[in-house]
Amino acid sequence: MHPQLETLLEIQDLKTQRRELQETASERAMQEEVFNLGADQAIVQLDEKIAEMEDTLPTLTRNRYNRIASRYERVMVPVIGGTCYGCFVSVPTALSSDADRNNEVRACQNCGRFLYLID
Amino acid sequence: MELREFFTEDGINLDLKGETKDEILKELIALLGLDDKSEGILYKMLKRRENLGSTGIGKGIAIPHCRSLVVNRLRVAFGRKPAGVEFKAIDDQPVHNFFLIIAPPLEVSNQYLPVLGKIAQFSKEADVASRLEKLHSPNEFLGLLQEKGV
Ligand SMILES: [Zn+2]
């Protein structure tokens, strides 16, 4: 896997976790009640980790990342069955069925989000 | 929705070998049968979740969990370490039973929280810890879930 793609994926996973804690009341309640997690403190820690990882992106990728992040909540989305799960438009077959998939940083030609290919 | 539906015998290991929290997490992830890269990413995510606060909920049970782009459907696994492992659990006791839950970022059927809730509820039942201790086969584990009606 392309190292920057891996960083982007990790950032996206952390952002998902943060969003769930911040916006999904049932998730927040579960984390607090079952796992005794301090949600607000966890969000601060997640923000720090996200910022730290964003800082490791090279300038060009970082600029693209910032552009996408300013428009969409999710910066990286999966491609499943040839469809971009950000905008739900089909991505070109050459891109989605590449044997060396995820070895390059690719973006959806329709919505611009970074793509992660899974089965 | 029943918990039983989400588990397969391949995803159950009643004799985990790991001696540390990190080794146990890796063994649990391996039960999902993903590629190495995905396993590595999940390990990092689960570690980060544990750093926010242990998922050891007491009574010898832990429920490591996270959402990640590396899976396209909800995945679960169960592992048991009869001798127990230090997991920084809420009650400071060693953990013997581990439920792993990994969900994609977006799910059409929204199963993640209900499954997490059911496992937490199952774990709190008075006889569950001792029943898990006595299991002889993955099939018995599935039978226990069914019996408890979770
Ligand atoms: Zn798109």
Side-chain angles (χ1 to χ4, degrees), chain B residues 29-100:
Chain B
I29 294 166
L31 292 172
L32 301 179
L34 302 168
D35 59 272
D36 291 354
K37 232 17 188 190
S38 301
E39 286 188 355
I41 288 165
L42 282 185
Y43 175 67
K44 280 195 251 180
M45 277 306 292
L46 289 171
K47 282 279 286 177
R48 287 184 187 130
R49 172 61 188 79
E50 294 297 326
N51 288 339
L52 297 177
S54 175
T55 60
I57 59 169
K59 291 189 175 178
I61 293 176
I63 315 177
H65 60 276
C66 68
R67 285 190 190 266
S68 176
L69 272 165
V70 304
V71 297
N72 64 3
R73 64 186 167 87
L74 187 83
R75 302 295 305 274
V76 297
F78 173 76
R80 185 181 68 181
K81 170 79 184 169
V85 152
E86 159 55 33
F87 214 77
K88 294 190 168 66
I90 287 172
D91 58 2
D92 277 329
Q93 296 299 307
V95 174
H96 303 265
N97 299 297
F98 303 87
F99 292 87
L100 176 70

Side-chain angles (χ1 to χ4, degrees), chain A residues 1 6 9-10 13-14 17 20 26-27 30-31 34-35 37 45 49 74 76 78 116 118-119, chain B residues 37-38 41 44-45 48-49 52 55 57 63 65 67-72 90 106 112-113 117 120:
Chain A
M1 192 187 300
E6 191 168 335
L9 193 158
E10 287 178 36
D13 280 353
L14 290 168
Q17 200 178 345
E20 294 277 309
S26 49
E27 165 89 24
M30 170 96 64
Q31 293 296 345
V34 177
F35 298 99
L37 184 77
Q45 284 177 257
K49 189 67 204 174
R74 291 181 301 146
M76 175 175 269
Y116 182 67
I118 52 175
D119 295 324
Chain B
K37 232 17 188 190
S38 301
I41 288 165
K44 280 195 251 180
M45 277 306 292
R48 287 184 187 130
R49 172 61 188 79
L52 297 177
T55 60
I57 59 169
I63 315 177
H65 60 276
R67 285 190 190 266
S68 176
L69 272 165
V70 304
V71 297
N72 64 3
I90 287 172
L106 293 177
Y112 179 54
L113 281 182

